[in-house]
Amino acid sequence: MDIQGLPGRLLADLGPAIASGELPAGTVLRSEELEVRYGVSRTVVREAVRILESMRLVTSKRRVGITVQPKSDWDVFDPMVIRWRLAGADRSAQLRSLGSLRVAVEPAAAALAARQATDDQRRELGALAVELTVTARAADLTSFLQHDIAFHATILRASGNEMFAHLGDTVGAVLTGRTEHHLMPHQPRPYAVRLHREVADAICAGDAEQAEQAMRTIVVGALEELNVTVD
């Protein structure tokens, strides 16, 4: 979700404030106060609040106001919520939680992809593995990130499991956050690039066991690196 204009500006302030705990659970905001503080119309406030409600960060009731909800109620898979949490003091816990999710899901998805992927998906993975190799050697982190997001999302879709496929944006937000917050090396490590090629090769060959093992090495290694980097 990419919100532009005045609602986007309001979200860019309120979202991170809620995600970071600056506006803790139970805080009550008033539409009239937000209108005055940000110099926006009631319609703009309503649109921003509607989006925050869709993420379950707040609830809005007439004569009560806009109430910030506890973290246990949030849609923690929403890419914007992930982005906001990664920008705040909750970054370490967020990265570890998402890293653990990847360890649980992506190896299984890779194994399924080796059995279920279409010919087009296998060709796409092979091409993305080549692009990852080229951009890694060039130390082009921006292009590498784009290809890495596409690589992992393709595997999740190729698994044939709609639940796994739905996590593509979530994994993409994690990969983006690692790069934006300088938790990645200046140049992707050769062994990590090699492992991505191994995953692609295994899926293309229909080798579920090898695909699962190589992907597990990738995501476990990423989680272990985070435990060192963010401490």
Side-chain angles (χ1 to χ4, degrees), residues 93-166:
Q94 170 77 129
L95 285 169
R96 290 190 177 99
S97 293
L98 291 165
S100 297
L101 175 68
R102 295 186 67 197
V103 170
V105 169
E106 291 197 68
L112 285 171
R115 303 185 183 100
Q116 305 282 353
T118 65
D119 289 342
D120 284 345
Q121 288 169 333
R122 294 177 201 272
R123 282 191 290 270
E124 184 178 359
L125 284 173
L128 286 167
V130 171
E131 293 294 342
L132 286 170
T133 301
V134 171
T135 52
R137 288 174 179 167
D140 182 355
L141 285 184
T142 300
S143 296
F144 183 88
L145 172 62
Q146 293 172 349
H147 296 312
D148 199 22
I149 291 171
F151 183 88
H152 289 274
T154 299
I155 290 173
L156 290 166
R157 289 195 306 273
S159 72
N161 183 306
E162 73 279 6
M163 299 291 188
F164 287 177
H166 192 67

Side-chain angles (χ1 to χ4, degrees), residues 184-202:
M184 286 284 288
H186 295 300
Q187 184 169 5
R189 294 186 174 91
Y191 79 87
V193 178
R194 173 179 53 78
L195 285 167
H196 282 71
R197 291 199 304 269
E198 288 183 9
V199 171
D201 289 345

Side-chain angles (χ1 to χ4, degrees), residues 28-90:
V28 177
L29 306 170
R30 306 289 180 185
S31 293
E32 298 81 4
E33 294 173 357
L34 294 175
E35 291 169 33
V36 173
R37 185 191 310 172
Y38 293 98
V40 296
S41 68
R42 180 172 299 179
T43 301
V44 169
V45 171
R46 283 177 177 169
E47 176 63 13
V49 170
R50 182 188 65 77
I51 295 168
L52 291 172
E53 283 187 298
S54 73
M55 301 172 183
R56 302 200 295 273
L57 297 182
V58 303
T59 58
S60 178
K61 294 181 180 179
R62 190 173 297 178
R63 293 190 294 274
V64 174
I66 304 155
T67 306
V68 176
Q69 297 301 290
K71 188 185 300 183
S72 57
D73 288 351
W74 298 353
D75 179 4
V76 293
F77 292 106
D78 187 289
M80 288 188 73
V81 175
I82 292 172
R83 188 184 314 164
W84 291 333
R85 291 181 69 190
L86 287 177
D90 196 31

Side-chain angles (χ1 to χ4, degrees), residues 141 144 148 175 178-179 181-188 225:
L141 285 184
F144 183 88
D148 199 22
L175 297 172
R178 288 172 56 199
T179 298
H181 296 289
H182 310 292
L183 300 174
M184 286 284 288
H186 295 300
Q187 184 169 5
E225 286 182 0

